[in-house]
Amino acid sequence: EETEQVAQQQQQQLPMITETDLPPAVLFSQLANENYLVGQTELERWGEVQEMISEGDLSQEELDVLVGRVEKAPGTDGMYLDEEGFCTLAEAIDDLFEEVGDDATDDDEQEEEEEDDFRELKVELLELLEDIDKIGEEEGRLLCGLDCNELEQERVLEVVGELEREPYNEVVAVSSTGGGAVSKEELVGDWELLYSSSSTMKYNEGLSGLAGGLTRFGGLKQKIIGTKYLSDVEYTEQVIGKLGGKSYEVKITGDWDMKTE
């Protein structure tokens, strides 16, 4: 009994092996007892694994399961690992964290690709609208795509539809997480119309219906005001005279509300 107590005291005095990324065989040689075996007491000196356990990356139960799967050294009643068994255990622990790391990397890469796709769609839409305006100016068309051709309109609606389905679309993202609709505060501010597929605006050649004949539509801005008690909106339409180019503003006011489907 005294011999066993002395052996235990000597074992307790052995240092923790804190070096990382050691080859399993080298690590085994530093942990092994006088019989060149590794048991539970020796594993407690494995600094890297003990740090994983203390930080919650690996539980003691998970470690026990991995140890239980490894073939034990002959004649040790399933209590000790020889060098081959220890190397198998070390590889199993490494594989466990490599799988988690690979999954996280794959998820991050997929997320980055989706976010890049979303940015590319936004850029594509803005460039498409810019091209439509440029062609429209050269051909004397109305602004904001009010008389763009059918092919241009279909392409715009196609890109917009793709954007609406993207998970990085703010409205889609908020709805999918159950966080409710976008708040009024996020819509408040000054907005400029870049494109409209409204059949009414196409027919009226603008919002107010005052453009046409000797005048033409020169653009539309929207000012959204939202407070606890007020939800006002003001539209400012630019109307330009075809003779002399004199312009004037038409203002339309009203109120607004948010609706969810």
Side-chain angles (χ1 to χ4, degrees), residues 117-129 132 151-166 169 195:
D117 290 343
F118 183 66
R119 291 196 188 99
E120 289 175 4
L121 283 171
K122 289 175 67 175
V123 171
E124 182 180 355
L125 178 60
L126 292 174
E127 289 179 348
L128 179 58
L129 296 181
I132 290 176
L151 183 61
E152 292 169 334
Q153 179 171 311
E154 287 179 357
R155 182 55 189 150
V156 170
L157 294 179
E158 180 183 343
V159 177
V160 170
E162 292 177 13
L163 275 170
E164 289 176 340
R165 291 188 292 271
E166 282 290 321
N169 180 312
Y195 178 86

Side-chain angles (χ1 to χ4, degrees), residues 9 12 41 71 76 81 112 191 210 231 238 244 248 258:
Q9 290 175 357
Q12 290 172 359
T41 304
E71 185 176 350
T76 63
L81 301 172
E112 289 177 2
W191 301 81
L210 296 177
S231 296
Q238 195 79 11
Y248 60 92
M258 292 178 59

